[in-house]
Amino acid sequence: MYGEHKELLPDESQKLFTLAKSFHSFHSVLCFISNAFSPNSFSTPLTSFSFVFSLSPVVCSFRGSVSHGLTLELGETVHILEKCEGKSFSGSIGIFPAGYIHLKKAVVTNRGQYETVVPLEDPIITEVTSTLQEWSVLWKQLYVKHKVDLFYKLRHVMNELIDLRRQLLSGHLTQDQVREVKRHITVRLDWGNEHLGLDLVPRKEFEMVDADQISVSDLYKMDGGRQRHGDSCRMPVPHHLFVNLKSFTYNTIGEDTDIFFSLYDLREGKQISEKFMVKLNKNGGPKNPEKVDRLCALFTDLSNKDMKRDLYIVSQVIRTGRMLLNDSKKGPPHVQYRRPYGCAVLAMSDVLQTISELKEEKDFVLKVYTCNNENEWYQIHENIIRKSSTKYTAPSTNYGLIISLQLLRGDMEQVRKENPIIFNRGVAITRKLGFPDVIMPGDIRNDLYLTLERGDFERGGKSVQKNIEVTMYVLYADGEILKECISLGSGEHNISEYRSFVLYHNNSPRWSEVIKLPIPIDRFRGSHLRFEFRHCSTKDKGEKKLFGFAFTPLMREDGTTLSDESHELYVYKCDENTTFSNHALYLGLPCCKDDFNGCPNIPSSLIFQRSTKETLWISTQLSSTKLTQNVDLLALLKWKAHPERVMDILGRLRHVCGEEIVKFLQDILDTLFSILDDNTDKYGPLVFQSLVFIINLLRDSKFYHFRVRFSALEYLFKFIIQSRILYSRATCGMEEDQFRASIQELFQSIRFVLSLDSRSSETLIFTQAALLNSFPAIFDELLQMFTVQEVAEFVRGTLGSMPSTVHIGQSMDVVKLQSIARTVDSRLFSFPESRRILLPVVLHHIHLHLRQQKELLICSGILSSIFSIIKSSSLESSVQEEVEMMVESLLDVLLQTLLAIMSKSQTCPLSDWQGEYVSCLLSLLRQMSDIHFQHLLDNFQSKEELKEFLLKIFCVFRNLMKLSIFPRDWNVMRLLTSNIIVSTTQYLSPALHKSFTDADFDFKVWNSYFSLAVLFINQPSLQLETLTPAKRKKVFDKYGDMRVMMAYELFSMWQNLGENKIHFIPGMIGPFLGVTLVPQIEVRNIMIPIFHDMMDWEQRKNGNFKQVEAELIDKLDSLVSEGKGDENYRELFSLTQLFGPYPSLLEKIEQETWRETGVSFVTSVTRLMERLLDYRDCMKGDETENKKIGCTVNLLNFYKSEINKEEMYIRYIHKLCEMHLQAENYTEAAFTLLLYWELLHWEERPLREFLHYPAQSEWHRKEGLCRKVIHYFNKGKCWEYGIPLCRELAFQYESLYDYQSLSWIRKMEAAYYDNIMEQQRLEPEFFRVGFYGRKFPFFLRNKEFVCRGHDYERLEAFQQRMLGEFPQAIAMQHPNQPDEGILQGDAQYLQIYAVTPVSENMEVLQMDRVPDRIKSFYRVNNVRRFRYDRPFHKGPKDKDNEFKSLWIERTTLILTHPLPGISRWFEVDKRELVEVSPLENAIYVVENKNQELRTLISQYQHKQLHGNINLLSMCLNGVIDAAVNGGIARYQEAFFDKEYISSHPEDTEKITQLKDLMQEQVHVLGVGLVVHEKLVHPEMRPLHKKLIDQFQMMRSSLCHVRPHICFSGI
C-alpha cells in the first residue's frame, strides 16, 4: 500500500499515541493500541486500495526499510492514494504494509490545497480525540509547573475518556447505554476544559452545537448548561463544601480515634450541619482499608445566607481506649471507653475567598487543641474560636489535621455531572440540620436529630464523682430494638446502640453530642427512645454499673412529633440486675414534667421509682416530609376526624409556614379537593382562597419546582373538550354552533374579568391571577375543536383585553407576563399562521414593559423564546414578516433597555437575565436581512432620529466589547457577537456616510463610529495570533479575520470624510495608532496611510503637523509601554512593501512638498519605536535591573536629544530614578533626579500638579528636588557632589533671610566634609563590556560600554553577573575587535575586560598635602576616559632583557557621559589607539611609582596615617627589591646603552627624562627610609636594616653598571 502523510487528524490511535509518548505512565495505553490494532503477522504483503479515499491511522510503527518504503510512526494518519504496484515515488509518498494501518471512512471538504478530512464517525468520538490531543500538551505543562494534584486528576479523566470512547466504538451498547456513556464523556470533557482554562463548548444532547443552527438566545442559555424559561425567576444557587481528610499527623495517641467534622455558626451558637465521621486506627490510618484516600464528605445545600454566616469547620477527636490516656492503672486494657481528646477549628471567612476562586482542592492544616478541663469540653470549640487560651492547650507542633477544601455550586444533579471524580471516591453526603433554602419535589426525608445535652446525677454515697456513660436505643411499640436507626455521622454505617463519651469524675456531664435518628416512617408512631446510665468503674474489673434510665416517646397522643426544643426527662432508678424485657412497665410512667401533669395519680408501689434529684436534658429537631409538629396542618390532613371544624381549619391554613406546606403539598392538595368534593357550596370559597394562597406562596423562588403541580383549569377543559368530542360522535355533530357560541361567551367572560381594574379588590386579583396562570394550559385542548387561526384569535382577544402595565398593580404585571410567556412556549405559537396573529399583541405588551423598564426579568425570557422559535422557522417565508414586526416594535426599545442596564453595570458584570437582553438584540440583528435594514433606515422621519439611533447602537456595541458580558472561556459567543457587530456595521455605515457628511457633518456620530471600529479590532477574542494553530484555523474558516473586515470599513469611511478629517486631528491619532499595534500585517498596512492624511490635512491648515507629531509620539509611548506592539512593528512606519493598493507612508510623504520634515519625522518615529519596544520587552519580561535601567536611559536620552519632548523626558527621569532606588544605586538616582532639577529655575512661577508633585511654585519644587538629590548623594557616599548643591541652597536661603534653613544646610555641608575625611570609601573597578550579535536588544546591539562595578566586585564576579543576565551569551576569550561574522551573527557574544580610569582632576592628584581619602574620590569619579593596555613585542625579542622590545597597545575609551552618572554604565563614544614604545612605557611606570611613593611618604610625614607602618614597609620593600633584582637596572641596560642612544637620537630627551625619574626615585626612597626609621617599631628594626642594605646595593649597582650616571646620596 502506498500513501502520503497528512496533518494529524482526530483519530483514536493518534491521540492515544500522543498521550503515550508524553509520560511513561501511559505505557498501558500504548500496549492497548498495539494489541488492538497491530497486524497478526508482520510479514503482511505490500498492497493497496484503488481510489477508495479513507482516513488511515497508523497502529504500528514501520521503519520504511524496503525500497520506496514510507516511514510510519504510531498515531500518524495516512492518506491512501491509489493502487500502485511496482512503481516508485518521491517525497513523502511511498509504500508500506497494509496491516500497519487501520482504515476508517472519511469525507473531504474544501478539496485541494486546504482540504479538510473528517472521519465518518459519531461527532462526540471526534471531539474526544481532538480534545485529548489538546489536553496532552497542557497535561505535561501541569507537571512542569508542579500542579501535581491537577496533573493526576487529569490523567485519571483522560484514561476514563479513552475507555469510554472505546465503549462507544465497540458498537455493542444499547441506546440507553450509548446515551449514558455520552453523558459521562461530556461531563469529563467539560470538567477538563474548565480546569485547564479552555473554551466552553456549547452542547445539546451531548453533542457540540453549531452556533449557526440556533438562535443567539439559545446559545446564551447554554452557558454552563443553565436553561432559563419565560416564567422563571432567579433561582438561588446552593453551595456545597467538599472536605477531604488527608492525614492526622498529630496522632500520637496510640488508640483508635473517631474524628467528627461539622459546620458551626458562632453567632447563633449552634451546629448547622450533620457530622461527618472518620474512624482511624491507632496508627492513624482508616480502620476500613477500603477507605484509604476516600475520607471525604460533601456538606450540601449551603445557601447564600449560610455563606455569609460566621461559620467554622469544627473537628472533634474522640479516642477509644483507657479512661486516662497516660495512666495504665485506670481500668483494665480490655475495657474501652469513648473519651474526649481534642478539637480543631477553621474559620470559613479565612478560606472562603481562596476556595471560591479556585476550581480545585486547596490544602489546610488544622491544629488540634486539647481541653484543660473536661467539664468545659462541650464548649471547647467556642473557647478556641474566641482564643480563651487558658482553657485549652496548644499542640507542640504546627501539624494536626490536614484537610483539603473545595467549594462547588449548583443543584446536586449538576454538581454530580460536573465533578464525577469526587463522587467516584465514595464521598459522604452530609446534609444540613433542616431543609435547604430550595426545596425540591420528591425530596423525602424523615430524620430526627437528637442532641444529648447534659445531665444531673447524684453521687450515690461515693467519695468521688461518677464516670457516666449513656447508652441509647430506639425501640418500637412492641419493645423490639430498631436496627441501624442511629447515625453518629455520615461516612460510617448506622448502628443500633449509641454509647456516649465519658467525662471523668463528673456528676453533671455536658455532652452536647448530636445524633441522627433515620427512623423509617412506618416505625415512627409508637416508637420511643430509652437512655440507660452507667457508672464506669476504673478499678481492676472495669465494671459498667447500671444505675438509672430515662425515656421519651417520639410522637405525642395528638399525632404530632416531639417539638423542636429542649426536653427535660425524668430519670428512674434501677440497678445492674434490672431487665427491660417488659417495656410496658415504664412506658406508662411520665417521661417528663408535661407528661406528669397529664397523669397525676401515679401509685408509689411501681417497680421503677423516679430519682427526683436526677435529670437528663435532650433537644430534638425534626426534618421530615411525612411527619409534622404543626397542629393546624395535622388538623387539616385529618379533617374527617372533626368535620364540624372544617371552616376553622381552612381559615387557619394561612398561618402555616411555607416550608411546612410544600413538604406536604401533595397531601394538602388531595385534602383540599377532598373537602371540595364533600360540600362544594359550603367549602368552595374557602378552598378556592386556600388554593390562591398556595399559588402565591409558590411564587417564592424557594418553591419554584412545585409550581408544575397546578393545572386545574387544564383538566377542566380536558373534561369539557373530551365531553364535547364524545357528544359530537354520539350525535353526529349536533349543537356544534351552540357549543362554539358557548366557548365564545366563555372567552367573553374571561376577557371581561381580565379587563376589570383589580387594584382595589383582593378577591378579583386572585381571580384574575388564577385565570391567567391556567389560561395557556388549555390551548392544546382547544386545538382539538378549533382551527389554529381560531384558537389564535381567542388568545389574541384574551391577551388584548388585559390593561396596559400603567393601569394594574405590579403583582398582576408579573402574572400577565407569565401567561404571555407560557403562550409563547406553547405549541400554538409554533404555527406560523397563529404566530402572525399573536405576535403583534405579545410585542405590544413587551414593548410597554421595556419602555417603562418594568418586569425586565420575565420579558427577557419571553423574547428569548420568540427568537428561538423564529430561528428554528427561519426557512419559512413568514419569518421575514415576523422579523419586520420585531424590528419595528423592539429594536429601539431593546437598545434603550440595554443602555439603561449597562449604565448600572459599569462596576460589575451583567447578571444572567441582563445578558439575555444582549442575546435578544444579537438574535434580532442576526435575523435582519438587507431588506430589513433598508426598511429600518427608510422609516426614520428625520436625520435627528437616525442620529439618535446610530449613537444608541454604536454605544451598545462598544459596551458589549468593554463590559464582561460573556465569561472569558465562552469564545463561541464572543466570536458570534463580533460577527454580528461587523455585519451590522457594514449595513449602517453607508447611512452614516450618506446622511452626515459634507454640510450635514456630525462629529459625534462619526467619532462614535470610529471609536467602535477601534475597540472592535482590538478585542482580545479576535487576536488569532494568541490561539493554537488548530483553533486559529477553525475560527478563520468560519468567520475569516474580522479585524481585517472592520479595518477595511474604517479606512473606507475615513476616505469618505473629505475635508472633515481635520476634526479628528489629533483626537483619533491615539485610537488609530492602537489599531496599528494589532499584530496583523494587513490591518497595519490598511491603517498606516491614514496617518499621512492626518499629516497632510494639518500641514494644509497650520503649515506644519506639530499636533500630529506630538500626539503620535505621546500615544506611541503610552501604548507600547502597556505591552502592545511586536518585533515587526519596529519598521512599520518606514516600510515600502505594503499590502494591496495602499502605498507606504514614506512613499506618500516623498511625493509631498513637505517631504523633508515628513521623512525626518518618520525616521524619528522609527527610531523611537526601536527604543520603546526594547523598553517594553525589558519591562514585561523577567529581566534584570541593569537591562531595565539601560533601556530607560536609552529612551530618556532619545526624548531629550532627538525629539525634545520635555514632559515625556521628565516622566522617564522619574521612572529611571525609581529603578535606581530599588537597585540601591543612590548616586545614580541622585544624578537622574538632578536632570529634572536642572530644568527648573529659582522663580515663583506656579506649576500644575504633575506625577507625585502637588501644585506648587517652581521655587519650592526645585528646593524639594535639591534636598532629595542631596539626600541620595549622601546615601551613595558621594558627598563631593552634594556639597555644591548645599551651597546652592544656602545661597537661596540667605537671599531670603531664611536663617533656620540656612543653619540646617550649613550643618549638613559641614557634616559632609567630616564624612569625606572620616568614613571609609572603596574605589570601584571599571569594566569594558562589548555586546556583539543580532540577538541583543537594539540599545545594546554591537555596542561597547564601560560599567562601574559594585563594591568589592572584581573581574571574575562581574563576568559571572553579566553571563547570568544574558544566559544565552557566549563569552569571548580575547580582547580583539570582533569580525563581521560575529557582529551580524544570530547569537550573543560578550567581551569583557577591566579598564583603568584616567582622571580629569590631575591637579588634585599631584598635590602632595592632599589626603589620599580626597584623592581617592577624584581618581574614580567624574571620569570619562578609560585606558586599557595590551603588551606586545615588536621585532626580535631579547631573551636577556625583554624590556627592549616590549611595546604597549594603549586603547583609550571616551564615554558619552562621565561616570558616575544617570547609569552605572555608558556607551563608548570613541576609541583612541596608540602604541607606546618601550622607553615611553618605562617612563610611565617609573613616574607612576614615584608619585605613589611621594603620596604615601607624605601621609606618614604629616601624620595622616599613624599607628601601623606596614603599608610603608611593604611599598618601600617592593620598590627596592625590584630595583635590586631587575626593575630599574633592566631599564638602564635597555635604554642607556651607547648602541641604543646612537641608534635612537630622537629619544634623547626621553632618555634624559627617564634618568631624572630614576634619580628622583632614589631620592624619594631615601626620604622614605628616613621616615620609616623614625616610625619603625623596635621589633621591626631587622627589616629596616635589610631595607637600608638593599637600598645601598641598589644605588651602587646603578652607579656600577653605568658609571656616568651617579646618584647623589640621601
Side-chain angles (χ1 to χ4, degrees), residues 1024-1039:
L1024 303 183
E1025 296 76 14
T1026 62
L1027 305 179
T1028 61
K1031 192 175 293 183
R1032 187 185 313 136
K1033 182 178 185 303
K1034 186 176 179 181
V1035 173
F1036 192 83
D1037 289 345
K1038 189 173 185 66
Y1039 296 109

Side-chain angles (χ1 to χ4, degrees), residues 374-560:
E374 285 189 7
N375 294 340
E376 295 189 348
W377 169 260
Y378 71 97
Q379 60 182 7
I380 182 175
H381 50 285
E382 291 190 6
N383 291 334
I384 296 171
I385 293 169
R386 295 194 168 96
K387 295 182 170 56
S388 303
S389 56
T390 59
K391 298 184 178 181
Y392 58 84
T393 301
S396 57
T397 68
N398 287 329
Y399 298 106
L401 294 167
I402 300 179
I403 65 171
S404 62
L405 303 178
Q406 185 177 358
L407 192 65
L408 310 175
R409 297 180 182 84
D411 60 59
M412 280 301 294
E413 184 61 29
Q414 179 185 346
V415 170
R416 284 180 186 275
K417 289 180 179 179
E418 294 178 353
N419 302 275
I421 295 177
I422 288 178
F423 288 90
N424 289 345
R425 292 165 65 181
V427 64
I429 303 300
T430 310
R431 308 185 73 165
K432 283 179 66 176
L433 296 182
F435 284 94
D437 278 15
V438 179
I439 302 175
M440 303 291 290
D443 187 359
I444 298 174
R445 288 183 70 178
N446 197 54
D447 300 324
L448 180 66
Y449 296 96
L450 181 141
T451 305
L452 188 66
E453 295 282 5
R454 60 190 176 91
D456 277 339
F457 301 95
E458 292 183 303
R459 182 172 293 188
K462 294 183 179 292
S463 59
V464 294
Q465 299 189 53
K466 297 176 181 177
N467 307 319
I468 299 171
E469 179 186 75
V470 181
T471 307
M472 184 189 75
Y473 302 95
V474 183
L475 298 99
Y476 192 46
D478 58 3
E480 173 197 356
I481 295 177
L482 295 181
K483 303 296 183 183
E484 299 179 354
C485 284
I486 301 173
S487 171
L488 295 184
S490 65
E492 291 295 335
H493 297 299
N494 293 351
I495 56 178
S496 305
E497 174 185 280
Y498 159 75
R499 293 182 184 273
S500 72
F501 55 81
V502 180
L503 297 175
Y504 187 61
H505 287 176
N506 193 334
N507 280 349
S508 299
R510 300 193 68 163
W511 299 278
S512 296
E513 189 168 17
V514 180
I515 308 120
K516 176 181 172 182
L517 305 177
I519 303 169
I521 186 68
D522 58 331
R523 310 299 293 273
F524 209 92
R525 178 178 287 278
S527 293
H528 69 280
L529 305 177
R530 185 172 74 229
F531 304 89
E532 299 176 6
F533 309 111
R534 289 177 172 82
H535 166 58
C536 301
S537 172
T538 56
K539 295 182 180 178
D540 294 341
K541 292 183 180 179
E543 298 172 339
K544 296 183 179 181
K545 294 182 179 180
L546 181 67
F547 67 85
F549 75 95
F551 71 95
T552 180
L554 296 179
M555 295 188 76
R556 304 192 186 284
E557 291 184 1
D558 61 5
T560 60

Side-chain angles (χ1 to χ4, degrees), residues 1292-1331:
Q1292 293 298 324
Y1293 292 146
E1294 191 170 9
S1295 64
L1296 295 173
Y1297 298 94
D1298 185 356
Y1299 291 157
Q1300 185 175 359
S1301 299
L1302 179 62
S1303 171
W1304 170 78
I1305 198 65
R1306 288 299 190 196
K1307 289 176 183 176
M1308 181 176 288
E1309 183 181 351
Y1312 285 1
Y1313 285 121
D1314 290 338
N1315 292 341
I1316 292 170
M1317 298 306 298
E1318 295 171 2
Q1319 291 199 26
Q1320 181 70 31
R1321 290 187 288 187
L1322 299 173
E1323 288 190 10
E1325 292 201 19
F1326 297 87
F1327 310 98
R1328 178 265 185 196
V1329 188
F1331 299 90

